[in-house]
Amino acid sequence: MIVYGIKTCGTVQKALAALTAAGKAPVLRDIRKEPLTADERAEFIAAFGEKLINRSSTTWRALSEAERAAPIEALLQAHPTLMKRPVIRGNGLTLGWDAAVQMAQL
């Protein structure tokens, strides 16, 4: 089970703790230290589309209007932390840590 996110993200930390408590063996892939590959970006964009971009993040707010207009692929390549977190590859591929994701992954 791979959890894609950043180690300082509170939601990622909650997901890792809950998955570990449930007997899973999640591995954190810190996207700051090891950015997504082109294939991973394409897979995540195909699965989640526009929802993959976190438009409430400080990174998004710091972007110019021209930068915000870039394709999702280019945004994630230039600014990995724009990705909504976590993306979990376990029981399928899920985005975020809401009740539905918890049911699917725990």
Side-chain angles (χ1 to χ4, degrees):
M1 175 174 280
I2 302 172
V3 177
Y4 298 85
I6 56 177
K7 68 178 182 178
T8 56
C9 176
T11 305
V12 170
Q13 292 170 352
K14 288 177 192 174
L16 287 169
L19 291 167
T20 301
K24 309 287 182 177
V27 175
L28 174 64
R29 164 97 176 272
D30 191 323
I31 58 172
R32 274 191 185 137
K33 294 179 182 174
E34 190 181 344
L36 299 173
T37 65
D39 288 342
E40 289 168 331
R41 286 191 302 270
E43 177 186 15
F44 292 179
I45 291 167
F48 307 117
E50 292 285 329
K51 292 188 276 185
L52 190 59
I53 299 295
N54 183 355
R55 288 183 168 77
S56 63
S57 71
T58 55
T59 303
W60 177 260
R61 290 188 296 252
L63 297 178
S64 69
E65 287 300 319
E67 289 173 308
R68 290 178 182 180
I72 297 173
E73 165 77 18
L75 284 169
L76 290 175
Q77 184 173 9
H79 308 281
T81 58
L82 276 176
M83 184 182 85
K84 182 175 171 131
R85 303 175 294 266
V87 170
I88 302 173
R89 183 185 308 278
N91 295 330
L93 194 62
T94 57
L95 177 64
W97 190 244
D98 60 17
V101 170
Q102 291 174 34
M103 291 295 293
Q105 295 295 347
L106 292 177

